[in-house]
Amino acid sequence: NKRIAILISGGGSNMVSLAESMVGDHPARPVLVLSNDTEAGGLAKASAMGIATAAIDHKPFGDDRAGFEALLKTELENADADLICLAGFMRILTAEFISRWEGRMLNIHPSLLPKYKGLNTHARALRAGDKMAGCSVHEVTAALDDGPILGQAQVPILPGDTADTLAARVLPMEHRLYPAVLRRFAAGDRTPVYLKS
Ligand code: GAR
């Protein structure tokens, strides 16, 4: 059984869907939910689910990403984590940290990668006049929102969509996609998962 640390920065709805999926014969279980924001709503949700939580405020570290990551490393070691799932974790990690977790760290990103790496993905898809939007789960490599794609889910873009209405259509697909990918990945299967709404 793989021990999963889930890193969040906000409400943690993807964290909840991952944690709820790790039951029964699932090849993984959640051992830690960690946030860089001490106020993240997801921390209370994780506690309520009986999962250990930790918060490391990044702000006192300023530009010292390595200093922040030293504490992160300690928490991950204390939890004896095997895999990391980034789930709405809004801090950029250093190449050095990422290399230590190579092949053992996943991320979910709200676009059909390789389109729209970075922020404001839905607004950018709308502005480009795209017909489809969606989300991707990928292995984390040193380049931002890059790395081998392990799954994608598509939704249509509809007339009158705003970034908010589109996000509300994509998020439920994130909640299906990430658990589906993690189940395979934790069992050693990197075959991509493709979903449509
Ligand atoms: C999700 O839509 C996730 O794809 C996105 O943040 C949201 C977190 O929601 N992640 C990124 O933008 C990563 N750069 P959640 O806290 O409810 O899971």
Side-chain angles (χ1 to χ4, degrees):
N1 228 268
K2 297 284 190 217
R3 299 172 62 84
I4 310 297
I6 305 173
L7 272 51
I8 65 169
S9 298
S13 70
N14 276 289
M15 175 278 294
V16 169
S17 68
L18 285 172
E20 286 180 346
S21 75
M22 288 184 253
V23 293
D25 66 353
H26 199 286
R29 62 195 164 100
V31 296
L32 177 67
V33 170
L34 184 146
S35 174
N36 64 297
D37 179 348
T38 57
E39 308 286 311
L43 289 171
K45 293 178 195 165
S47 293
M49 296 173 81
I51 306 167
T53 64
I56 306 170
D57 183 4
H58 67 275
K59 289 192 291 296
F61 292 95
D63 291 337
D64 178 17
R65 290 186 189 272
F68 169 77
E69 288 174 356
L71 296 194
L72 178 56
K73 179 171 184 272
T74 300
E75 292 291 347
L76 293 166
E77 283 172 0
N78 288 346
D80 200 16
D82 298 309
L83 300 177
I84 297 176
C85 289
L86 304 180
F89 184 68
M90 303 306 278
R91 299 299 299 167
I92 290 176
L93 297 163
T94 65
E96 199 211 338
F97 181 91
I98 291 168
S99 72
R100 270 193 260 110
W101 285 90
E102 199 180 324
R104 298 186 295 146
M105 179 156 49
L106 309 184
N107 180 45
I108 187 152
H109 182 74
S111 78
L112 296 172
L113 291 172
K115 284 187 160 187
Y116 314 127
K117 297 173 182 181
L119 299 176
N120 304 316
T121 54
H122 299 314
R124 289 155 68 199
L126 289 170
R127 209 178 304 136
D130 291 359
K131 298 237 173 332
M132 303 297 288
C135 52
S136 307
V137 176
H138 64 95
E139 275 183 57
V140 176
T141 58
L144 181 70
D145 298 328
D146 205 87
I149 288 176
L150 297 167
Q152 285 188 319
Q154 294 196 356
V155 303
I157 291 179
L158 301 177
D161 263 340
T162 64
D164 285 345
T165 61
L166 187 51
R169 195 171 305 121
V170 171
L171 193 60
M173 296 303 282
E174 298 188 36
H175 299 160
R176 287 175 53 196
L177 181 69
Y178 211 170
V181 170
L182 178 62
R183 181 179 276 273
R184 284 192 184 181
F185 192 83
D189 181 357
R190 286 170 161 73
T191 315
V193 176
Y194 292 103
L195 301 177
K196 278 185 178 171
S197 59

